[in-house]
Amino acid sequence: MASMTQNPDTVPFLDLVTPHEELEEELVSVFRMALRRGRFSGGSMIARFEADFGMFCGTTCCVGVASGTDALRFALLAVGIRRGDAVITTPHTFMATAEAITQAGAWPEFVDIDARSGNLDPSKLEEFLEKACWIDAKTGCAISKRSGRMVSGVIPVHLYGQMADMDPILALSRRFNLKVVEDACQAHGAAYFSRQDDCWKRAGSIGDAAAFSFYPSKNLGACGEAGAVTTNDETIAAKIRMLREHGQNQKYMHDIEGYNGRLDAIQAGILSVKLRYLPVWTEQRREHARRYGQLLQVILEIQRPEELAYGKAVYHLYVVRVQDRDALQRELTQAGIGTGVHYPMPLHLQKAYARLGYAHGDFPVAERVAAEVLSLPMYPQLTCEQQDRVAEACRGHFQRSAGLRVAGAVSL
Ligand SMILES: *Cc1c(COP(=O)(O)O)cnc(C)c1O
């Protein structure tokens, strides 16, 4: 059901009202409990959410922090990335992935993506490590020829809710001595079948550490800002507990300099409530993706997202690719259908990273994908009627533009 505040003829890109209407009593009672206890920072609501979310991801440790960006930055610092190191990631991601690298004092090195998933391409990672690096004989570490820096880590991003191909990435990381921090900010509950270990693994349980965001629009979203780091390494978890709280080990005893990066107690309570619904919401997203697939398959101009056989995607976003993306987006906007572009400019071409010295053409796949992606409405409460309306508007657009092309040809 669309919410009361929305025009029933439109399809919003995102609906953050309906799910909270359903949960209003439970969520308000979290706030009421915090008020009555006067407990807004630290305490049992945080400990409980950390235990719940660690269990959900299949990791022994989970540390709540203030945002996904903090989670990434703290994870890099805690796994041992040092000032001046280089960390590899994909140029086709949200800005925060690269910001975390530079804010941890390191230098981003980009590697191009697999066109099917939009995720870091393991074969290009291998090529980068073998051909664009030399091996320091003393340490055995890879040194980037481009930046002259020691490559000490990699951040695979599980973009749109589909996991990066982790087996070959982990094999390369072992071979070249890289720390692996998963950016799982869009992949709560996504799964990966490891052929290496012959078992399913959840996003966030595979690297040395992983970062989650609970920004309101994420699959598991707070009513404000929140994030978490998951890991199976108690030493890394302990380091993150220090980093989030000014480097303190016990009250006013600071072993290192840290940050104010704590998870808010009320958000933790809200997240515990919402986590119980996440498996159902994920199945709804997957069902919507299946149905979009059926509705859109007749439109040959639209390339639907591909779910790779190694995993189970959680469809944070439903991202199609089309040649003339901007025209389709304009048309959908006029039809009252909300869309998004994730993301229109790859990070290596961002003004903020001019100093990295990349140019157009450096990552051709990421550049092509950025020009073609369009995110259609996707959320658990999306209705069949809304999906039909989206598909109908897409069909209308391509019929009209084909008609225009034919008419243009005739008039020649
Ligand atoms: C949302 C997101 C982040 C940052 O999370 P915040 O909670 O907004 O700081 C990082 N990486 C990716 C891929 C994201 O989608």
Side-chain angles (χ1 to χ4, degrees):
M1 241 333 267
S3 119
M4 299 178 293
T5 54
Q6 282 150 3
N7 176 343
D9 292 332
T10 64
V11 184
F13 178 61
L14 193 66
D15 178 3
L16 292 179
V17 176
T18 312
H20 296 114
E21 284 173 351
E22 291 165 8
L23 302 183
E24 188 170 308
E25 259 329 295
E26 276 186 280
L27 298 178
V28 168
S29 75
V30 168
F31 185 40
R32 200 177 291 123
M33 197 185 325
L35 283 179
R36 288 183 184 162
R37 290 182 187 164
R39 198 73 216 253
F40 306 110
S41 186
S44 63
M45 291 212 277
I46 289 171
R48 167 149 171 242
F49 174 67
E50 289 176 337
D52 292 347
F53 195 68
M55 181 98 80
F56 175 80
C57 295
T59 59
T60 53
C61 308
C62 170
V63 184
V65 296
S67 69
T69 310
D70 273 354
L72 279 167
R73 183 157 35 116
F74 297 169
L76 289 170
L77 292 168
V79 300
I81 304 300
R82 280 164 310 184
R83 185 158 289 281
D85 287 357
V87 173
I88 299 167
T89 195
T90 151
H92 185 57
T93 178
F94 181 53
M95 181 68 177
T97 314
E99 278 176 325
I101 296 173
T102 59
Q103 290 170 7
W107 186 265
E109 292 268 3
F110 297 115
V111 164
D112 211 352
I113 56 172
D114 179 333
R116 293 168 306 165
S117 64
N119 285 328
L120 192 68
D121 185 334
S123 66
K124 300 209 178 98
L125 177 63
E126 179 170 25
E127 189 179 303
F128 174 85
L129 290 164
E130 285 180 349
K131 306 228 173 79
C133 295
W134 55 276
I135 303 301
D136 183 282
K138 267 212 294 282
T139 60
C141 292
I143 313 289
S144 161
K145 291 178 189 165
R146 178 166 211 288
S147 66
R149 291 155 189 272
M150 189 176 96
V151 183
S152 62
V154 57
I155 307 184
V157 180
H158 307 317
L159 201 68
Y160 309 148
Q162 169 154 249
M163 293 185 64
D165 192 0
M166 293 303 289
D167 276 346
I169 293 174
L170 284 193
L172 287 165
S173 301
R174 276 191 292 272
R175 192 171 135 211
F176 289 92
N177 205 14
L178 308 181
K179 297 292 182 191
V180 180
V181 173
E182 295 169 71
D183 182 339
C185 288
Q186 302 188 356
H188 318 70
Y192 177 80
F193 187 78
S194 168
R195 289 141 289 179
Q196 179 73 33
D197 298 341
D198 195 29
C199 66
W200 284 92
K201 296 180 180 184
R202 277 272 167 100
S205 69
I206 301 182
D208 294 284
F212 285 91
S213 166
F214 307 118
Y215 183 74
S217 62
K218 300 295 161 90
N219 289 28
L220 177 62
C223 298
E225 303 278 347
V229 177
T230 53
T231 176
N232 285 309
D233 184 329
E234 179 48 49
T235 315
I236 291 172
K239 185 92 183 278
I240 288 166
R241 277 184 215 108
M242 285 166 68
L243 286 166
R244 74 175 171 184
E245 189 136 37
H246 304 289
Q248 71 183 22
N249 185 1
Q250 39 179 308
K251 204 162 173 67
Y252 303 133
M253 295 297 147
H254 306 268
D255 290 6
I256 54 173
E257 263 191 303
Y259 301 82
N260 177 351
R262 291 175 296 255
L263 172 62
D264 181 277
I266 291 170
Q267 299 307 334
I270 283 168
L271 288 166
S272 282
V273 170
K274 292 180 76 175
L275 180 59
R276 295 204 313 271
Y277 296 86
L278 183 59
V280 172
W281 289 337
T282 296
E283 285 315 310
Q284 289 170 325
R285 285 177 186 271
R286 288 180 55 76
E287 172 58 22
H288 299 333
R290 197 191 57 73
R291 196 154 182 281
Y292 263 142
Q294 284 181 340
L295 291 169
L296 300 176
Q297 73 184 356
V298 294
I299 308 175
L300 301 178
E301 292 88 343
I302 291 186
Q303 193 181 331
R304 290 161 291 141
E306 191 174 340
E307 187 167 345
L308 297 180
Y310 60 63
K312 191 175 158 190
V314 295
Y315 293 95
H316 171 57
L317 296 167
Y318 187 84
V319 179
V320 298
R321 284 173 57 190
V322 284
Q323 289 290 328
D324 195 351
R325 186 257 321 281
D326 295 342
L328 177 60
Q329 182 171 38
R330 265 194 309 275
E331 178 110 3
L332 292 177
T333 305
Q334 274 166 13
I337 293 164
T339 56
V341 174
H342 303 88
Y343 296 92
M345 185 183 282
L347 297 188
H348 67 287
L349 299 178
Q350 295 283 351
K351 190 171 159 195
Y353 289 130
R355 68 178 186 282
L356 301 181
Y358 289 106
H360 272 278
D362 282 347
F363 304 107
V365 182
E367 289 168 30
R368 193 174 73 237
V369 166
E372 295 178 354
V373 284
L374 184 67
S375 309
L376 301 180
M378 170 56 86
Y379 34 90
Q381 295 76 16
L382 189 69
T383 64
C384 292
E385 295 72 49
Q386 288 176 314
Q387 282 195 292
D388 291 345
R389 209 168 301 146
V390 173
E392 195 43 57
C394 290
R395 209 160 27 232
H397 168 73
F398 287 109
Q399 261 159 14
R400 266 188 301 282
S401 58
L404 286 176
R405 273 203 302 280
V406 171
V410 167
S411 75
L412 275 176

